Amino acid sequence: MQETSQNQPPWHASYPPGISDQAPGIETQTICALLEKAVEKHGTATALSAMGRNISYLELDRHTQAVAGWLLEQGFRPGDHIAVMLPNVLAHPIAYLGIARAGMTAVCLNPLYTIAEVSHAFRSSPVRAVIVFEPMAHIVQQARVGSDAHTVVVVSPGAMLGWKKPLVNLVARHLRGLVPWYLREGTVAWDLVLNFWSAHGTAVSPTPQDHAVMLYSGGTTGQPKGVPLTHAGLTCNVAQQDTWISSSLDPDRTYTLMLAIPLYHILGFGSLLFCIFRGGKAVLVMNPRDQKQFVREWARHQVTSFPGVNTLFASLLSFEAFSRLDFAALRFALGAGMPVQERTAQQWKSVTGCEITEGYGLTETGLVACNRIGASRIGSVGLPIPGVDISLRGDGGETLGLADTGEICIRGGAVLRGYWASAENTTAFTEDGFFKTGDIGTFDADGFLRLVDRKKEMIISSGFKIYPSEVERVLLAHPEVVECAVAPAIDLRAGEIPVAYVVSKEDSLTADELLNFCEAKLVAYKRPRRIIFLSELPKSSVGKILRRQLQEKS
C-alpha cells in the first residue's frame, strides 16, 4: 500500500467523522443469511414491487424456499450452475436468492444476449439449467444444443402480477410477431416452481466462500469472462456500502430503491442486496427506455435511492413529465459505470433537488470508491471506501506515487479471487495480490480518486498518449453536442489518430465548427482528426457507450 509519512494513505484523513478506516464487519456472511435476517425483522414489509404488485419479505422467503426446494428435488446439487436470463421482473431476484439457498451458483445472463454469447456462457460455466424470460427463450433453445443445460424454466411476461397476468401475457403475445417465441413443449412453467412444497425443506447452508453468483465482465475489450463472486465478497461489499451511505439516510423512513439498472449487472445486484440489508423496498423497472411507464412507476413510491448511469439520468431529464414528480424523499442518486457529465449533474440537481453522487466500481470488485452524499467533488469518483486498498502501477508494474497517473490496482474483501476457468488469471493480478482494473487514475492531495480513462482504450498517436475521455469532455462542453465518443483509427504516419463520433441536437452543427471549438482547448495531437455524426451511439445494456464498436467502424 502506498502510504503517507504517517503510515496512512491520505484518503483516511478525509473520511467524515464516525467512519473508520478499518474493513467493516457484517454479522451475516452469506446472502441467504442476509435475507433470513431481513425476513425476521421486516416480515410483513414490502420487499419487491413491480407494476403495482408488491411482494412482502415473508412472501419472498416462501418463494425463494420453493425455488431452492424444487432445484434440489430435480436432482441438482449444491455447487451446480443455474443460469438466469431475465429482465427486471419479480421472478429475477427470487430466482437468484432461491438458487443461492439451494447452495448453487446463479449464472447471470443478459436476456438480450445473442445465441453465440449464450452458448459461450453455457459451455464455459457450465450451466445445468436455465430460468429464462419467455420472449427470449428461443435463444436458449438454440444455444443449449450440445450443452448440459437440459432443464428450461420459462417465466411469462405476466408472471407474479396477480390479476394483471393474463392481460400482460395477452398484450405480449399479441406482439409475438416481433420475436420467435419458444414452444412450451419440454419446458417447466415458473408457476409450477413457485408452487413447489417439500416436507424436507431446504437444508443447504452455503459457506461464505461458496460462489453465490457468476456475472460476466462487460466484454468491451474482448470475450466476456465469468466473474464468480462469493457470498463473503458480496456481503463484505454490503457492509462497505452501509458504512459509507447509511449515515446520510433517514433511519425512520423506508428505504425505497428505484432499480432500473439490470439485476444481471453488479450495480443492480449490489444495490438490491443493500436494499435487503436495510429491510427496504426494491422497485423493479423492466424497461427504463419506456419513459412514460418509468415515470408512472416512480409516482407510485417515495423513492429514496436511484442508481444510474449518465445516459439514464439524461434520458429521464429529457422527458417533461419526470420533472413534475415528487422528489421530497430522494436522498441518493448514485452515478456509476461512466462519467456523469457536469451539465447532466447540474440539471438533475435543479430538477430533483438531489445531487448525483459519483462512485466507482467493477464487476470484479463491487463498490471501490464513492463521494459523500451531498458533498461530491466534481471530476472525482470519491474516496476509497473502508476496507479497500488501492495502488497505482506503471506500465512495467512498478508502484507509483498517489499523485502520479497509473493503472488502478485494488485489493480488498469484496474483490474476486479469480476469473472462472480463465488463463487471464495469471495476468489479472499483481504479484502482491492487487487486481489490475485496466483503468487509469490518479489521486488529489486529499485522497480523492480521479479516473483518467481505460488503459486499453488509450490512443497512442506518434508516441503521444491521448485519453479519449479528456477529448470527450471538451466536445461535450459544446452546447449542440448531446453525446460523443472518441476512438482510434489506424493511420500510416501516426500509428493511431483520434476520431470523434458525435450525436448533435441540430443537423446544422458542422465538423469544422467542432474542430475549431477544440482548437482553443486541446493541444494539436489531442484534437480529433475527423468528426463523424451519428444518430445514436452504441451502448451496453446499462447505457455505457461502447467505444470498441466505434473503433471497429474507424
Side-chain angles (χ1 to χ4, degrees):
M1 179 170 68
Q2 299 154 49
E3 298 173 329
T4 66
S5 57
Q6 289 76 33
N7 205 35
Q8 290 289 330
W11 56 81
H12 287 174
S14 296
Y15 280 178
I19 301 295
S20 169
D21 57 8
Q22 300 300 310
I26 188 170
E27 182 181 341
T28 51
Q29 294 192 9
T30 69
I31 62 175
C32 304
L34 196 75
L35 173 61
E36 290 160 8
K37 187 172 182 180
V39 171
E40 180 184 338
K41 294 178 64 178
H42 311 283
T44 58
T46 300
L48 305 172
S49 182
M51 296 180 67
R53 172 77 164 92
N54 294 330
I55 302 288
S56 72
Y57 275 96
L58 286 170
E59 290 175 294
L60 179 59
D61 180 53
R62 186 170 66 249
H63 290 324
T64 54
Q65 290 277 16
V67 172
W70 184 85
L71 287 169
L72 292 166
E73 186 75 16
Q74 302 308 303
F76 299 110
R77 299 178 179 178
D80 281 347
H81 288 190
I82 311 297
V84 179
M85 195 171 165
L86 298 170
N88 281 11
V89 293
L90 291 169
H92 201 157
I94 290 168
Y96 280 173
L97 294 167
I99 291 167
R101 298 186 90 165
M104 301 172 194
T105 302
V107 179
C108 314
L109 301 181
N110 184 337
L112 299 181
Y113 268 173
T114 64
I115 294 171
E117 288 169 320
V118 176
S119 180
H120 168 72
F122 283 0
R123 284 156 181 76
S124 65
S125 294
V127 167
R128 293 204 59 206
V130 191
I131 302 173
V132 63
F133 198 49
E134 192 171 4
M136 281 73 183
H138 62 288
I139 299 292
V140 168
Q141 181 186 33
Q142 298 172 71
R144 72 186 180 121
V145 174
S147 75
D148 293 329
H150 301 307
T151 302
V152 178
V153 177
V154 175
V155 178
S156 71
M160 306 188 70
L161 292 181
W163 64 268
K164 294 181 181 179
K165 176 181 176 179
L167 178 62
V168 172
N169 284 341
L170 180 65
V171 171
R173 285 171 184 146
H174 179 70
L175 301 174
R176 65 183 298 168
L178 299 178
V179 292
W181 280 44
Y182 186 72
L183 296 176
R184 288 181 173 273
E185 211 172 305
T187 65
V188 178
W190 175 248
D191 289 351
L192 186 149
V193 175
L194 285 190
N195 291 327
F196 179 82
W197 182 83
S198 171
H200 305 292
T202 52
V204 175
S205 297
T207 73
Q209 297 309 318
D210 287 337
H211 292 153
V213 295
M214 171 105 76
L215 291 90
Y216 278 83
S217 62
T220 57
T221 56
Q223 184 76 278
K225 299 181 287 292
V227 181
L229 301 177
T230 65
H231 285 267
L234 290 166
T235 55
C236 172
N237 200 242
V238 168
Q240 290 171 321
Q241 291 182 65
D242 180 57
T243 299
W244 202 249
I245 297 170
S246 288
S247 61
S248 299
L249 301 174
D250 185 350
D252 297 324
R253 183 186 290 271
T254 299
Y255 182 81
T256 301
L257 168 70
M258 181 61 68
L259 194 55
I261 296 293
L263 279 163
Y264 54 78
H265 189 279
I266 188 60
L267 179 57
F269 188 55
S271 297
L272 172 73
L273 292 181
F274 179 69
C275 185
I276 292 173
F277 172 79
R278 289 191 61 90
K281 173 173 63 175
V283 182
L284 305 180
V285 178
M286 185 172 74
N287 179 17
R289 292 181 178 86
D290 184 347
Q291 297 167 317
K292 186 176 181 180
Q293 178 59 35
F294 195 162
V295 167
R296 187 179 297 123
E297 190 66 67
W298 191 303
R300 292 189 177 112
H301 309 275
Q302 292 294 305
V303 178
T304 311
S305 173
F306 179 55
V309 295
N310 185 81
T311 49
L312 179 56
F313 294 127
S315 173
L316 289 173
L317 290 168
S318 70
F319 191 59
E320 186 179 352
F322 179 74
S323 64
R324 297 195 293 269
L325 289 170
D326 178 9
F327 300 105
L330 188 62
R331 292 290 178 271
F332 185 41
L334 175 65
M338 62 185 294
V340 176
Q341 295 175 15
E342 188 172 347
R343 66 184 176 196
T344 301
Q346 290 171 346
Q347 188 181 359
W348 180 270
K349 177 69 180 293
S350 174
V351 169
T352 69
C354 176
E355 183 180 78
I356 293 177
T357 300
E358 282 202 72
Y360 169 62
L362 298 89
T363 303
E364 294 89 342
T365 65
L367 186 64
V368 171
C370 195
N371 278 285
R372 291 173 58 191
I373 296 177
S376 288
R377 186 169 293 199
I378 294 174
S380 166
V381 292
L383 300 167
I385 59 179
V388 168
D389 196 3
I390 295 182
S391 176
L392 300 182
R393 303 294 172 99
D395 292 340
E398 70 279 10
T399 300
L400 303 176
L402 293 175
D404 294 325
T405 298
E407 182 174 7
I408 300 169
C409 299
I410 301 169
R411 190 167 59 186
V415 177
L416 89 163
R417 294 179 295 183
Y419 291 109
W420 179 262
S422 173
E424 289 191 32
N425 286 329
T426 57
T427 58
F429 296 86
T430 65
E431 290 184 358
D432 51 347
F434 284 81
F435 173 72
K436 297 189 284 189
T437 67
D439 290 322
I440 303 297
T442 186
F443 286 91
D444 66 17
D446 296 324
F448 282 75
L449 179 63
R450 297 178 184 274
L451 300 185
V452 177
D453 221 315
R454 286 289 299 171
K455 184 177 181 179
K456 293 183 178 180
E457 293 180 349
M458 181 175 64
I459 301 167
I460 301 180
S461 183
S462 298
F464 292 101
K465 294 180 179 180
I466 304 170
Y467 294 106
S469 60
E470 181 184 2
V471 184
E472 290 163 1
R473 279 194 293 271
V474 170
L475 290 166
L476 288 167
H478 192 288
E480 292 300 313
V481 173
V482 176
E483 57 184 13
C484 69
V486 173
I490 301 300
D491 182 79
L492 294 178
R493 292 181 60 189
E496 293 180 329
I497 56 171
V499 176
Y501 298 83
V502 175
V503 177
S504 62
K505 291 181 182 178
E506 303 291 342
D507 292 340
S508 57
L509 181 64
T510 67
D512 285 343
E513 183 179 345
L514 274 183
L515 292 172
N516 290 335
F517 182 78
C518 292
E519 188 172 348
K521 301 176 184 295
L522 290 169
V523 68
Y525 71 86
K526 293 182 181 180
R527 297 172 201 155
R529 301 300 190 275
R530 295 200 299 272
I531 304 287
I532 298 174
F533 290 99
L534 299 174
S535 58
E536 61 179 357
L537 299 179
K539 298 183 180 71
S540 70
S541 58
V542 296
K544 186 175 182 178
I545 295 171
L546 301 176
R547 290 184 186 140
R548 176 168 286 273
Q549 290 189 17
L550 293 170
Q551 183 177 344
E552 292 167 356
K553 299 174 185 285
S554 299

